[in-house]
Amino acid sequence: MTWLVLGGALAVIVLYLATLFARGEIRRLVRTLRWVVGGALLGGAGLLGARGQMLIASFLAAGGIGLLLRGRLGPIDFGSGLSSPNNASAVSSHHFDMRLDHETGEVSGTVRAGHFAGRPLAQLSAAECWALYDEVSDDPDSLALYESWLNANRAGWRDYFATEFGMDPGEEEAAPGSGPATEISGTEEAYQILGLEPGASAEAIKAAHRKLMKSVHPDAGGSAFLAARINQAKDLLLKQATATRKS
């Protein structure tokens, strides 16, 4: 029975790793392997230690702990060198700094201005989320970004706000936060939105745009605001790249 359970768990892990590989999520694949191998080493150390084979167990335990803490097992890198500052898109408004992780699709944010300035959105209570919603309701860009965060992190927030605070979900669906009210400020912001270094090629711009649109496109349940921002960034940078080639 024990071997059957272990075999089933191994099959699930292999299937998950194969799915990550098929999706091209190499960073997440390598980091998952880090935890799988590290956990296996520590598990093996525990079993050998229970049998009295302390020397081998200590080596396995040292390797497992080192792998989990540092991301390396001898010369093998299990993701410690894969972190990249360009693995996320940054979008800002008057009230918010938002970050979209390219691999996970996670949307995180911090309040820049107003009553909750300096607070991570994830730390706000339901009542504080509603107070913030009311506070930014006259700022279309900030409202759109905030709704994007709520959609990604607080499922059912419209119904909850309607029940607890009397918001009319039908009216809010037509609010001006469905798209960007202003154009992006320039190429620097465009690079931040696409998560690219300045001077990126047209091919890199198109590839980053395609990857991001898969996670934020409205047809896939994403954010119309973020999708519009990403499209603006792509158009601006491609136009600049074309002008540079002609000159």
Side-chain angles (χ1 to χ4, degrees):
M1 184 63 180
T2 301
W3 289 110
L4 183 60
V5 173
L6 291 175
L10 180 61
V12 171
I13 292 172
V14 171
L15 180 60
Y16 178 65
L17 294 175
T19 301
L20 293 179
F21 181 79
R23 292 177 179 173
E25 299 182 28
I26 304 303
R27 285 185 175 86
R28 185 185 289 185
L29 170 63
V30 173
R31 288 168 182 158
T32 301
L33 280 172
R34 167 183 174 179
W35 289 99
V36 170
V37 175
L41 288 174
L42 291 179
L47 290 174
L48 291 176
R51 295 178 179 180
Q53 297 175 285
M54 301 305 297
L55 180 61
I56 300 178
S58 63
F59 279 112
L60 290 180
I65 293 172
L67 177 56
L68 294 178
L69 294 180
R70 297 191 301 272
R72 298 189 67 88
L73 182 62
I76 305 175
D77 187 344
F78 280 82
S80 62
L82 287 177
S83 60
S84 170
N86 299 317
N87 196 38
S89 296
V91 183
S92 299
S93 68
H94 174 71
H95 284 90
F96 300 112
D97 286 322
M98 294 287 185
R99 181 180 182 275
L100 171 65
D101 189 286
H102 293 184
E103 293 177 1
T104 65
E106 177 185 357
V107 181
S108 57
T110 303
V111 184
R112 322 178 41 178
H115 182 72
F116 300 100
R119 296 274 302 277
L121 290 173
Q123 294 182 4
L124 299 182
S125 67
E128 288 173 329
C129 284
W130 167 249
L132 180 58
Y133 192 92
D134 185 60
E135 183 177 325
V136 305
S137 60
D138 59 349
D139 179 353
D141 281 0
S142 294
L143 181 61
L145 276 180
Y146 190 37
E147 289 184 346
S148 299
W149 181 85
L150 288 169
N151 289 335
N153 296 276
R154 298 291 185 267
W157 65 271
R158 291 186 186 276
D159 292 335
Y160 180 80
F161 281 3
T163 301
E164 297 294 324
F165 307 109
M167 185 187 91
D168 185 347
E171 290 183 2
E172 295 300 332
E173 288 287 353
S178 58
T182 59
E183 297 291 323
I184 57 179
S185 61
T187 56
E188 181 178 354
E189 183 181 1
Y191 282 122
Q192 290 177 349
I193 290 172
L194 294 182
L196 296 172
E197 291 284 356
S201 66
E203 290 73 19
I205 294 168
K206 293 176 183 177
H209 173 265
R210 285 194 300 270
K211 183 176 181 180
L212 286 171
M213 288 302 290
K214 290 180 180 179
S215 60
V216 304
H217 196 280
D219 291 343
S223 165
F225 179 83
L226 289 177
R229 286 289 188 183
I230 292 167
N231 283 330
Q232 285 182 9
K234 181 204 71 170
D235 293 343
L236 177 61
L237 294 181
L238 286 180
K239 184 184 296 184
Q240 181 188 61
T242 301
T244 301
R245 286 199 304 268
K246 291 180 177 179
S247 62

